[in-house]
């Protein structure tokens, strides 16, 4: 359904906010599909659909069965699944991805990108992260990995053919040539890569050749995208993939971050998926301006699907956005035990444990509010905002009592507590960005934790500096996830609200 663009003929970037890095995109007729990294979370590799490149709806997760995704208990935070490539070829979708926590490179296929996806085809002969797939007209399949090197592949069996060959590694001496994507566009084969590392020096460079095997000639204007050394509000721009718009124009999806606060700037939502226009000059792509409010593309836009604030847990299946660290949510979360409620069964582990019973969704807005109605009569648990098991804040309910716990690196503290009437309690976490920076040491946002009294009035227990739940402090590749957990017994949740707030 076409609709008016959001504001003054602009649309908002990031087009997929929150921890959705390493986007890979493909177009099939009028439909676009996009996949991202998911690291230690289950299910893995979120898959999105769009008709206009701007508004995206998650249609599934490619790896949603234990036969597809094994995340051993010792999977480290920011381990697991890295950087998929999504392509459509020969009437089916192909997804190639690395599980750095054990299974290496894996290939999956599907006729419908919403799933089901096949069981994995192992690729023992493909060594390196960020695998890409490209096909020549004669059906030859090239698999290109970070480094950057290439090997021929039989994608049906996973067998590699011949030796791996080094292709092109970007600017001499540049760090981390990675995220390769190989395309045939016009008379050339283009090799798009990221370089400089996924931090502030990230960038995208390109080279071209008359054949998929090279030799590759670097673009004189490399890097074709980088925000290094600028004060652009979108930083760490890199890891791109190219696609044609509905009108034949070219676009790039790529990852970027939105640091907030003073020096050095902290990003808390992880690396997000952005969109930028691309034009061609002398058969080289030129990436246009990256704008938070970008000019709306010149084709009909499809009404943004505003997701409902509340998940009532009235359906037997959980929505696609819900994720758990290292284990399948169905192992410890059920809507069948108490109809209309989600029941989380603790495994004797707290938010400090890698395998905590936690079900969350990505924080997608700089300022937002999460609320739950929790019934702790049979246990202990609550609402948490988590970057990893060593960096999280939570408000935990037990019969007759709530407490706020903060864990930052090796330090863990109960920072506030309060007695409550027995029975279910509404818990709340609010993140609020501090856009106006008045102090160079100012953090990116504040995180307020509290509960609602019987009249529904918010009772704040504490407000904490958000910097401790940022990538600049915790390290790694993920972003904040907001959700419910149980540390003792079973905790029931009637609903979970997530609402964007004005920045
Ligand atoms: C990914 C690499 C990268 O494999 O970060 O920014 C790594 N790019 O390409 C993890 O997402």
């Amino acid at each position: 359904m076409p609709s008016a663009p959001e504001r003054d003929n602009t649309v908002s970037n990031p087009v997929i906010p929150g921890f959705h890095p390493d986007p890979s995109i493909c177009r099939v007729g009028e439909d676009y599909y996009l996949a991202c990294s998911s690291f230690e979370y289950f299910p893995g590799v979120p898959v999105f659909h769009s008709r206009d490149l701007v508004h995206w709806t998650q249609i599934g997760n490619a790896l949603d069965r234990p036969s597809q995704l094994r995340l051993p208990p010792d999977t480290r935070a920011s381990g697991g699944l890295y950087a998929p490539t999504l392509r459509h070829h020969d009437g089916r979708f192909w997804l190639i991805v690395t599980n750095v926590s054990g299974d290496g490179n894996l290939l999956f296929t599907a006729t419908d990108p919403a799933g089901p996806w096949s069981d994995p085809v192992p690729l023992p002969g493909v060594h390196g992260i960020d695998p890409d797939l490209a096909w020549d007209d004669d059906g030859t399949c090239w698999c290109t990995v970070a480094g950057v090197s290439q090997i021929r592949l039989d994608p049906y069996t996973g067998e590699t053919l011949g030796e791996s060959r080094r292709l092109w590694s970007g600017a001499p001496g540049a760090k981390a040539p990675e995220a390769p994507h190989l395309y045939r566009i016009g008379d050339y084969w283009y090799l798009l890569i990221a370089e400089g590392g996924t931090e502030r020096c990230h960038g995208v460079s390109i080279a071209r050749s008359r054949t998929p095997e090279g030799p590759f000639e670097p673009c004189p204007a490399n890097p074709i995208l980088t925000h290094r050394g600028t004060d652009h509000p979108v930083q760490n721009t890199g890891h791109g993939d190219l696609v044609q718009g509905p009108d034949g124009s070219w676009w790039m999806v790529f990852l970027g971050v939105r640091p907030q606060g003073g020096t050095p700037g902290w990003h808390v939502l992880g690396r997000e998926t952005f969109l930028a226009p691309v034009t061609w000059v002398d058969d080289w792509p030129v990436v246009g301006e990256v704008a938070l409010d970008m000019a709306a593309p010149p084709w009909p836009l499809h009404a943004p699907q505003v997701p409902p604030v509340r998940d009532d847990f009235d359906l037997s299946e959980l929505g696609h956005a819900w994720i758990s660290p290292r284990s399948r949510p169905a192992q410890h979360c059920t809507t069948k035990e108490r109809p209309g409620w989600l029941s989380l069964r603790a495994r004797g582990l707290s938010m400090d444990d890698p395998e905590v019973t936690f079900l969350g969704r990505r924080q997608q807005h700089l300022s937002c509010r999460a609320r739950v109605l929790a019934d702790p009569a049979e246990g202990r648990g609550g609402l948490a905002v988590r970057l990893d098991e060593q960096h999280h804040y939570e408000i935990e309910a037990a019969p007759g009592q709530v407490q706020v716990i903060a864990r930052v690196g090796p330090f863990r503290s109960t920072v506030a507590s309060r007695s409550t009437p027995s029975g279910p309690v509404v818990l709340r976490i609010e993140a609020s960005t501090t856009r106006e920076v008045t102090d160079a040491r100012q953090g990116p946002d504040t995180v307020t934790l509290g509960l609602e009294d019987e009249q529904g009035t918010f009772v704040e227990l504490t407000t904490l500096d958000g910097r401790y739940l940022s990538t600049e402090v915790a390290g790694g590749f993920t972003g904040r996830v907001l959700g419910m957990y149980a540390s003792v017994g079973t905790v029931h949740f009637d609903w979970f609200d997530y609402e964007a707030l004005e920045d």
Side-chain angles (χ1 to χ4, degrees):
M1 188 204 339
S3 77
E6 275 103 322
R7 216 187 309 155
D8 303 330
N9 214 32
T10 63
V11 293
S12 21
N13 237 347
V15 289
I16 308 182
F19 138 49
H20 292 108
D22 309 327
S24 178
I25 191 167
C26 77
R27 176 186 178 180
V28 183
E30 296 183 340
D31 296 294
Y32 294 91
Y33 300 97
L34 187 149
C36 300
S37 302
S38 50
F39 304 97
E40 73 268 31
Y41 288 94
F42 202 111
V45 184
V47 179
F48 294 84
H49 170 256
S50 174
R51 278 282 175 90
D52 59 15
L53 287 178
V54 169
H55 301 112
W56 293 89
T57 305
Q58 191 177 352
I59 55 171
N61 294 280
L63 281 62
D64 60 0
R65 306 188 299 274
S67 61
Q68 298 169 303
L69 175 56
R70 294 188 310 135
L71 295 168
D74 62 355
T75 300
R76 62 178 198 276
S78 289
L81 292 177
Y82 278 26
T85 293
L86 178 64
R87 295 290 179 256
H88 187 259
H89 172 80
D90 199 16
R92 65 174 95 179
F93 291 87
W94 301 79
L95 185 110
I96 187 168
V97 64
T98 315
N99 184 345
V100 299
S101 299
D103 288 329
N105 286 305
L106 302 169
L107 186 54
F108 300 84
T109 58
T111 48
D112 180 349
W117 285 81
S118 70
D119 278 344
V121 175
L123 303 172
V126 177
H127 304 290
I129 58 166
D130 301 355
D132 173 75
L133 293 175
W135 282 264
D136 207 341
D137 285 344
D138 65 5
T140 305
C141 178
W142 301 100
C143 182
T144 311
V145 297
V148 169
S149 63
Q150 181 188 69
I151 195 160
R152 272 180 64 202
L153 183 69
D154 177 342
Y156 294 90
T157 64
E159 201 186 328
T160 46
L161 310 163
E163 294 296 308
S164 162
R165 296 172 45 255
R166 176 63 67 100
L167 287 188
W168 173 65
S169 302
K175 173 178 158 185
E178 58 189 14
H181 289 305
L182 184 66
Y183 320 85
R184 176 186 230 145
I185 300 171
D187 293 335
Y188 287 104
W189 284 85
Y190 288 89
L191 178 58
L192 187 77
I193 69 164
E195 59 180 348
T198 196
E199 304 80 22
R200 293 290 190 273
C201 287
H202 216 198
V204 176
S205 290
I206 196 161
R208 70 186 180 194
S209 167
R210 295 285 179 187
T211 80
E213 296 159 272
F216 282 91
E217 162 206 0
C219 174
N222 279 337
I224 59 170
L225 170 66
T226 189
H227 287 173
R228 60 181 75 132
T230 70
D231 58 5
H232 197 286
V234 183
Q235 289 290 316
N236 304 27
T237 50
H239 202 123
D241 200 3
L242 292 168
V243 73
Q244 269 183 290
D247 62 352
S249 57
W250 285 85
W251 297 79
M252 184 184 283
V253 289
F254 57 93
L255 70 79
V257 305
R258 291 182 281 169
Q260 307 289 308
T263 299
W266 293 268
H267 73 277
V268 304
L269 302 186
R271 298 166 303 158
E272 311 178 272
T273 287
F274 288 82
L275 179 72
V278 171
T279 51
W280 291 83
V281 176
D282 299 332
D283 291 328
W284 290 112
V286 177
V287 183
E289 194 200 341
V290 177
L292 290 170
D293 286 314
M294 69 182 289
W299 50 76
L301 298 181
H302 295 263
Q305 286 193 349
V306 181
V309 165
R310 176 158 297 184
D311 191 331
D312 244 326
F313 305 122
D314 287 338
L315 304 174
S316 61
E317 296 291 321
L318 287 171
H320 301 310
W322 293 109
I323 52 175
S324 285
R326 301 174 182 84
S327 60
R328 196 182 196 201
Q331 270 178 260
H332 45 74
C333 308
T334 178
T335 51
K336 297 189 179 110
E337 191 169 320
R338 183 165 164 185
W341 292 64
L342 179 77
S343 303
L344 261 61
R345 288 190 214 106
R347 293 172 290 175
L349 302 169
S350 76
M351 287 296 295
D352 298 326
D353 290 287
E355 286 191 282
V356 60
T357 294
F358 171 86
L359 183 77
R361 48 150 297 150
R362 291 155 171 90
Q363 181 182 333
Q364 293 192 277
H365 301 86
L366 296 169
S367 296
C368 65
R369 176 184 300 141
R371 298 166 69 229
V372 286
L373 178 59
D375 182 355
E378 300 166 31
R380 173 181 278 277
L383 180 64
V385 53
R386 164 187 207 277
L387 205 67
D388 60 34
E389 45 277 3
Q390 293 176 347
H391 300 86
H392 49 86
Y393 301 155
E394 58 263 23
I395 175 154
E396 180 165 291
Q401 196 225 12
V402 295
Q403 58 179 346
V404 173
I405 300 161
R407 166 81 192 261
V408 179
F411 307 109
R412 180 184 207 271
S413 173
T414 300
V415 288
S417 64
R418 188 187 175 100
S419 56
T420 56
S422 58
V425 56
V426 176
L427 309 175
R428 206 197 258 204
I429 295 182
E430 226 168 89
S432 193
T433 195
T434 44
R435 275 287 167 93
E436 207 180 314
V437 180
T438 51
D439 180 337
R441 299 162 304 159
Q442 192 169 307
D445 64 348
T446 54
V447 179
T448 300
L449 300 100
L451 71 160
E452 292 177 16
D453 68 15
E454 279 153 330
Q455 285 72 48
T457 307
F458 181 57
V459 180
E460 177 184 328
L461 289 188
T462 194
T463 292
L464 302 171
D465 188 326
R467 81 180 70 199
Y468 305 111
L469 307 187
S470 71
T471 299
E472 284 74 8
V473 167
F477 296 131
T478 61
R480 283 191 196 160
V481 177
L482 280 158
M484 299 150 286
Y485 73 99
S487 53
V488 175
T490 299
V491 182
H492 306 279
F493 297 89
D494 190 12
W495 45 259
F496 177 100
D497 284 0
Y498 174 88
E499 200 179 346
L501 302 176
E502 282 285 313
D503 288 338

